[in-house]
Amino acid sequence: TNPFIQSNSKERSRYLYFQGFLQMKVQHFDLAISLLNEAQDIAKSCNDLQVLKRLMWDLAHAYEEMKNFQAAFNCMKMHSVISTDLLVRRNTSNVTEIHLHHDIALVEQRANIDQLSGVYNRSYLESTCDEWLKEAKPNKTNVCCIVFDVDNFKQINDTYGHLAGDEVIKKIGAACSELISGENSFV
């Protein structure tokens, strides 16, 4: 008679499942099967696989108690199908989550790496160095920063063109990355 249970299909299915489960405990298997079947119909219409899986398990046991082994077998078969479907959905969800984490990492990398030089950009430098300086002060450790300039770079662009200048920048980035590596360092 509860209006919420009457108006909400999933809740009605779960309510009927619980009633059927209780009837099984007191060994009223005919009534239990009737309630569980009604709950199953509603759960199917709602595509509530978690409840359906439990329903199939309990229905199989109720039919088994009533010596209806064919119906028990069919319920266990349906339980297996639903379990497999849930496993596939969970695995698909996990794969999607892994792809999402990978995509986020790529976006972060693109946001922090200069596309031309292949080294970290100024924004990353500033935020990371700020963190290092905050950590260094109370720990009384040092932070070292090396800054250099390519002399007469404009002449390279003017003489050989911007594509050649781009190649020089790439080579300098690669050379610096080979020389400076380690857990607490970056170019």
Side-chain angles (χ1 to χ4, degrees):
T1 59
N2 184 307
F4 178 71
I5 292 174
Q6 296 301 326
S7 66
N8 186 311
S9 296
K10 280 190 175 188
E11 288 304 317
R12 177 123 180 94
S13 171
R14 291 171 188 208
Y15 172 78
L16 290 168
Y17 166 71
F18 183 68
Q19 289 293 321
F21 183 78
L22 289 176
Q23 292 302 320
M24 282 181 59
K25 291 296 181 187
V26 295
Q27 299 188 352
H28 294 146
F29 296 109
D30 284 334
L31 182 55
I33 289 171
S34 173
L35 290 164
L36 293 173
N37 276 321
E38 188 179 349
Q40 175 192 3
D41 291 339
I42 297 169
K44 277 183 183 175
S45 71
C46 299
N47 200 27
D48 192 346
L49 295 180
Q50 292 292 342
V51 169
L52 267 174
K53 179 181 165 187
R54 289 192 308 247
L55 275 163
M56 293 289 92
W57 181 265
D58 289 331
L59 263 170
H61 289 290
Y63 280 124
E64 196 173 41
E65 289 293 330
M66 297 293 295
K67 308 290 188 231
N68 186 343
F69 298 111
Q70 184 62 46
F73 172 77
N74 290 338
C75 288
M76 285 308 290
K77 196 162 81 170
M78 183 59 80
H79 178 270
S80 294
V81 168
I82 293 168
S83 296
T84 302
D85 189 31
L86 285 170
L87 181 63
V88 167
R89 287 179 186 208
R90 188 177 315 124
N91 288 341
T92 302
S93 175
N94 290 342
V95 168
T96 302
E97 188 175 335
I98 290 168
H99 284 295
L100 181 61
H101 287 297
H102 176 71
D103 291 346
I104 289 170
L106 283 175
V107 168
E108 286 176 350
Q109 180 182 4
R110 287 182 186 143
N112 293 327
I113 302 287
D114 177 66
Q115 293 298 310
L116 179 60
S117 66
V119 299
Y120 287 101
N121 60 26
R122 180 179 177 148
S123 174
Y124 183 82
L125 168 78
E126 290 174 353
S127 64
T128 303
C129 284
D130 284 346
E131 289 177 29
W132 285 359
L133 290 170
K134 285 177 189 172
E135 292 172 9
K137 189 174 183 179
N139 297 336
K140 296 187 183 345
T141 56
N142 297 317
V143 175
C144 178
C145 180
I146 300 170
V147 178
F148 66 92
D149 181 43
V150 178
D151 288 335
N152 304 314
F153 185 74
K154 183 178 177 343
Q155 285 180 336
I156 293 171
N157 277 336
D158 291 346
T159 305
Y160 302 104
H162 290 280
L163 291 177
D166 289 353
E167 285 302 312
V168 169
I169 291 172
K170 289 177 189 176
K171 296 284 186 195
I172 291 170
C176 290
S177 294
E178 280 183 35
L179 292 172
I180 300 172
S181 63
E183 186 178 326
N184 292 325
S185 62
F186 70 90
V187 176

